[in-house]
Amino acid sequence: MMFLSSWSVVLALGTLVSALPKRECAHTVKESVRPPRGWSKVQPAPADHVIELRIGLPQPNFATLEKHLYEVSDPFHERYGAHLSKEEVDALVAPHSESVELVTEWLTSHGLSEGSMSRSPAQDWVTVKVPVSLAEKMLDTEYHVWSHEASNASLVRTTSYSLPDYLHEHIDLIQPTTLFSTWRGMKSTIHSSKAVQPGTTNNAPPIKVPTASGGEVDASCNTTITVSCLKQLYNAVDFTPSGKDGNQIAVTGYLEQFASIADLKLFYEDQVPAAVGTSFKVTSVNGGQNNQTESEAGDEANLDTQFAFGITFPTPATFFTTGGSPPFIPDIGTPTDTNEPYLQWLEFILAQNDPPQTISTSYGDDEQTVPVNYATRVCNLFAQLGARGVSLTFSSGDGGVGDGDPDPATQECFTNDGRNATRFIAGFPASCPFVTAVGGTTFVPEVAIFFSGGGFSNVFPRPSYQEKAVTDFLDKLAPGTYAGLFNPYVQAFPDVSAQSNDFRIFLEGEPVLIGGTSASSPTFAGFVSLLNDARLSKGLPPLGFLNPLIYAIGAEEPSAFNDITVGNNPGCGTPGFNSSEGWDAVTGFGTPNFGKLKEIVTSGKTLGRRHS
Ligand SMILES: *[C@@H]1O[C@H](CO)[C@@H](O)[C@H](O)[C@H]1NC(C)=O
Ligand SMILES: *[C@@H]1O[C@H](CO)[C@@H](O)[C@H](O)[C@H]1NC(C)=O
Ligand SMILES: *[C@@H]1O[C@H](CO)[C@@H](O)[C@H](O)[C@H]1NC(C)=O
Ligand SMILES: *[C@@H]1O[C@H](CO)[C@@H](O)[C@H](O)[C@H]1NC(C)=O
Ligand SMILES: *[C@@H]1O[C@H](CO)[C@@H](O)[C@H](O)[C@H]1NC(C)=O
C-alpha cells in the first residue's frame, strides 16, 4: 500500500541526539478527563510499549473551510455543488508555519529525527511512534493499562497530560492519551440474528403504501426486508444506475471484521440475481482484516456490504477494512496499541484524490466517552470530506435516548462528570453536524423502531440549517419535558431514517435476519448513491454534504421524505421522544422517497434559487 508506507515510520531508539537546546519551560496541563464508567486502572504501562502519538496542530483557517462547505452544500446558493479539490481543502486546514516549526523543534529536542515524523498532506497532523517512557517524559504524565469490564477491552491511556506552556497554542490535541473508546457496531444486540426459512412465499395481498413504487409493497416486507422491499418502499423500482458515470459507493468496517465474498454471492442469488458474479473492492487500512475464511466473516460487515451494494448494483463498490481494535493485551507482546479507528481511516481517505462519493459507517461511540477536543477535530475532518463532495452517513445508535446498554444494572445513563447524574446519552459521530445521522424504522406501513438513536448532543452547537426544524419540534413538547436530561440548544439528531429491522442477509452460508441502525445507514447511503448516479449521469456534481439539502427540502410540502409519525425511542428509564409530524428526534425527517428526491436533485430548478 503506497499510502501506508508513506505514513509508516521507523524510529531509531538509539542515542538521543539533541540538535536544539531544550527550551526551559514549565509544563501545564493540556487536557484532563475522568475515565468513563466501567474502565479501571490495571497497572503502569510497560515502559517499552510503543504508542503512535498523533499530534493535531491548530487549523487557523477552519472557519473559512466551514464557510466554503456551507456554500457548496446549500441548495439555494449559487456555488451549490462547486466542491473543493483536495489541494484547496489541504490549504485551508494547514497550520501556521510557526506551529509546525515549534512542534518539530520540540520533537527534535526529545531525540526524534525528522525522518521519524510522518505528516499529513496539509501538515496539520504529525505522527511519531514512541515508547511509553518517552511519551511520559514529553507529556509529563504516566500511562497505565486500563481495562473495560463489559467489553473486556484493554487500553494504554492516561487521564491527564501536559505540554510546555509555549506549545499550548500550537497543539490542539495529542492522542492516544485521554480517549477511552468503546467503538462498536450499531448492529442492535437486542435484535441480532435469528435463522429464517429461505424463499419466503406469501400469498397475502400487497400492502397499500401511497408513496411506494406503484403504490404498494409486497406483504412479506412486513416481516422480512430484502433489497426489493426497500426499492418498492422507497420508490426506486424503475431506476437502474449506470455504473459507468464515475459514481462509487463505499462502506467502512472496523474491529477486525471483513465482508465475505462467498456470502455476498449467496445474497445476490437470493435477492439481486443480475449482480451474481460481481463483487466489491477491498481496501485495507492499517492492516485491516480480509480473511475470506467463511466462518470468520463479520455479521456487521456482511449486512453493510450486502445491502449498500445490493441496492446500488452495478455501481462500483469498496469495502474499507480498518485495523486496530481491542482487545489490546500488553502482556503477550502486542507491539502497538492502535485503537484509534477514526483518525486512521480519515487520514487514509483524505489522502485519496477521488474518494467514493457516498460512504456509510455503522459504528460509533457514546459521545461522552470521546474527549471534546478530539470529537471536534474528528468532526472537522468529516467536514473536509463534505467540502470535497463526499456524503457521509452514520447509524444514529441503537439505544433510543440512552446508551442501549443491554445490562439493566448499568442502564441509568450516568453523566461522566463525577456527579453520576442521569442524562440522555448521545452517540458520536451521529452528533457531529457534518455527517448525516440515520435513525431506524420498522414494518410496512413504517413506524419508528424503539431503539432508534436520537436526541441532543452535549458537545456540538446547533448548526443554522436545523434551527427551524428542531425549534418546531421542541415547541411541540410540553413545557419542562425531560428538563435537565438534555440540552435543547445544541445539535439534534438523527437527520433522517430508514428501515432497520429483520434484514435478510447471508452469514456463513446461511440466511439470517438482522437489525439495528447498522442496517439503516447503508440503506440510506444506497439511495443517496442512486441520487448521485442520476446527477453524475446528467453531468451534475455529486450531492456532497447532505444536511443543508435535507433540511431545506424536508420542510417543503409535499415532502420528498416519508414522514414517520408513530413510535418513540425509550431509554434512561424514560419513554424517550415521540415521532411526530415534520422533523423529530426519533426518525428525523423520515425515510427517503427516491422518486421525488431524484426529481428535485436532477431538475436544476429547485436547486439554485432560494424559496421565499
Ligand atoms: C477477557 O480477556 C481475557 C484475556 O485477556 C480472556 O482470558 C477472557 O476469557 C476474556 N473474557 C471474556 C468474557 O471475553
Ligand atoms: C405489519 O406488522 C405489524 C406488526 O406485526 C402490524 O401491526 C401491521 O398491522 C402489519 N401491517 C400490515 C399491513 O399487515
Ligand atoms: C484465516 O484465519 C484463520 C485463523 O484465524 C486461519 O486458520 C486461516 O488460515 C486464515 N485464512 C486466510 C485465508 O488467511
Ligand atoms: C459515581 O459512581 C461511581 C461508580 O459506581 C462511584 O465510584 C462514585 O463514588 C459515584 N460518585 C458519586 C458522586 O456518587
Ligand atoms: C408522547 O406522546 C404521548 C401520547 O400522546 C404523551 O403522553 C407524551 O407526553 C409524549 N412524550 C413526549 C416526550 O412528548
Side-chain angles (χ1 to χ4, degrees):
M1 299 294 310
M2 293 273 290
F3 174 82
L4 287 179
S5 58
S6 71
W7 270 88
S8 62
V9 291
V10 182
L11 170 60
L13 294 170
T15 36
L16 297 184
V17 190
S18 201
L20 294 154
K22 210 177 271 181
R23 285 179 187 243
E24 291 308 322
C25 185
H27 275 65
T28 46
V29 172
K30 175 71 180 170
E31 187 184 35
S32 158
V33 301
R34 201 175 282 276
R37 287 178 80 87
W39 286 97
S40 48
K41 208 187 250 191
V42 181
Q43 64 189 66
D48 57 356
H49 171 70
V50 174
I51 47 182
E52 195 164 79
L53 282 184
R54 283 162 205 273
I55 304 165
L57 279 52
Q59 304 166 321
N61 297 319
F62 186 80
T64 310
L65 175 82
E66 193 176 351
K67 182 169 172 289
H68 284 291
L69 171 69
Y70 278 119
E71 288 183 5
V72 302
S73 312
D74 174 356
F76 304 124
H77 197 280
E78 60 190 9
R79 289 184 66 206
Y80 184 66
H83 300 120
L84 278 60
S85 68
K86 173 175 180 296
E87 289 68 29
E88 286 167 332
V89 169
D90 285 348
L92 286 168
V93 298
H96 279 308
S97 57
E98 192 195 2
S99 300
V100 177
E101 280 156 26
L102 289 174
V103 169
T104 304
E105 181 192 306
W106 174 61
L107 293 172
T108 308
S109 77
H110 283 284
L112 298 162
S113 66
E114 178 62 41
S116 72
M117 304 170 202
S118 66
R119 298 175 193 275
S120 63
Q123 312 267 312
D124 55 335
W125 291 95
V126 188
T127 304
V128 289
K129 280 184 181 165
V130 297
V132 158
S133 53
L134 180 55
E136 289 182 335
K137 215 165 100 191
M138 292 164 68
L139 305 176
D140 192 19
T141 186
E142 282 175 20
Y143 276 89
H144 282 81
V145 176
W146 292 76
S147 78
H148 187 249
E149 207 182 333
S151 65
N152 207 18
S154 294
L155 290 173
V156 169
R157 291 293 185 270
T158 174
T159 52
S160 163
Y161 67 97
S162 299
L163 288 173
D165 286 336
Y166 75 95
L167 280 179
H168 278 239
E169 63 181 293
H170 299 290
I171 291 179
D172 261 358
L173 78 172
I174 300 184
Q175 290 290 353
T177 47
T178 52
L179 172 67
F180 289 80
S181 174
T182 44
W183 183 242
R184 60 185 184 268
M186 290 299 165
K187 169 187 61 74
S188 168
T189 47
I190 314 159
H191 284 259
S192 60
S193 332
K194 62 183 180 229
V196 285
Q197 295 301 317
T200 8
T201 49
N202 196 322
N203 296 324
I207 303 167
K208 299 275 178 233
V209 179
T211 53
S213 293
E216 55 184 42
V217 174
D218 293 348
S220 63
C221 300
N222 202 24
T223 46
T224 303
I225 291 291
T226 60
V227 167
S228 163
C229 289
L230 295 170
K231 288 195 169 179
Q232 292 174 47
L233 189 57
Y234 298 147
N235 190 17
V237 166
D238 298 331
F239 183 78
T240 307
S242 104
K244 293 194 179 72
D245 54 11
N247 193 32
Q248 298 180 58
I249 183 163
V251 158
T252 68
Y254 295 92
L255 306 179
E256 312 299 338
Q257 284 210 1
F258 65 90
S260 163
I261 288 166
D263 286 337
L264 182 81
K265 180 167 178 284
L266 294 171
F267 177 81
Y268 280 168
E269 283 166 1
D270 187 61
Q271 297 185 27
V272 195
V276 172
T278 70
S279 187
F280 52 86
K281 189 170 108 191
V282 178
T283 300
S284 170
V285 180
N286 187 40
Q289 295 291 311
N290 182 31
N291 178 340
Q292 287 293 331
T293 308
E294 193 170 55
S295 60
E296 291 168 24
D299 48 6
E300 178 71 71
N302 274 11
L303 165 67
D304 302 353
T305 50
Q306 289 174 15
F307 271 87
F309 304 164
I311 290 167
T312 55
F313 171 78
T315 305
T318 302
F319 177 64
F320 291 110
T321 168
T322 301
S325 77
F328 153 72
I329 306 161
D331 310 342
I332 59 167
T334 312
T336 313
D337 163 23
T338 55
N339 187 23
E340 283 285 315
Y342 310 101
L343 290 183
Q344 264 150 0
W345 180 76
L346 280 161
E347 276 170 0
F348 175 85
I349 197 74
L350 281 162
Q352 306 299 303
N353 283 317
D354 294 300
Q357 297 88 346
T358 312
I359 306 177
S360 171
T361 301
S362 295
Y363 292 79
D365 265 323
D366 292 342
E367 186 191 60
Q368 70 168 359
T369 68
V370 182
V372 170
N373 62 8
Y374 187 80
T376 305
R377 192 63 186 249
V378 167
C379 185
N380 289 354
L381 287 162
F382 294 133
Q384 288 173 232
L385 278 171
R388 289 178 55 189
V390 178
S391 302
L392 299 167
T393 69
F394 280 83
S395 304
S396 74
D398 286 356
V401 293
D403 59 5
D405 193 331
D407 176 3
T410 49
Q411 230 176 28
E412 295 94 339
C413 302
F414 286 121
T415 55
N416 204 33
D417 55 6
R419 294 182 302 130
N420 295 345
T422 300
R423 199 168 170 89
F424 291 163
I425 306 288
F428 179 79
S431 67
C432 163
F434 302 127
V435 305
T436 298
V438 187
T441 64
T442 186
F443 301 142
V444 183
E446 287 184 279
V447 298
I449 196 148
F450 70 91
F451 57 67
S452 185
F456 292 78
S457 172
N458 285 302
V459 171
F460 296 101
R462 178 133 79 233
S464 61
Y465 65 74
Q466 67 168 202
E467 181 62 35
K468 179 166 190 321
V470 177
T471 312
D472 286 352
F473 170 75
L474 290 168
D475 285 348
K476 287 183 283 190
L477 297 182
T481 299
Y482 301 144
L485 292 182
F486 73 100
N487 176 351
Y489 304 108
V490 292
Q491 164 79 14
F493 68 101
D495 303 300
V496 289
S497 49
Q499 285 278 332
S500 62
N501 206 17
D502 291 333
F503 276 50
R504 178 179 164 90
I505 67 162
F506 279 74
L507 183 64
E508 296 180 22
E510 301 292 332
V512 297
L513 291 183
I514 192 167
T517 52
S518 266
S520 46
S521 178
T523 297
F524 193 83
F527 290 93
V528 169
S529 181
L530 296 185
L531 293 172
N532 272 335
D533 181 274
R535 279 176 66 84
L536 293 176
S537 284
K538 282 196 144 193
L540 295 166
L543 293 168
F545 173 42
L546 297 168
N547 294 4
L549 172 71
I550 289 171
Y551 284 80
I553 63 183
E556 303 254 303
E557 284 299 334
S559 175
F561 294 98
N562 308 311
D563 195 2
I564 310 299
T565 56
V566 176
N568 56 313
N569 57 352
C572 311
T574 77
F577 294 107
N578 289 334
S579 228
S580 59
E581 230 168 83
W583 183 91
D584 57 67
V586 189
T587 58
F589 278 110
T591 62
N593 182 330
F594 173 78
K596 284 191 181 171
L597 289 165
K598 176 169 151 283
E599 229 169 83
I600 293 171
V601 303
T602 58
S603 71
K605 282 184 193 148
T606 312
L607 304 182
R609 71 184 163 83
R610 190 169 290 280
H611 287 238
S612 51

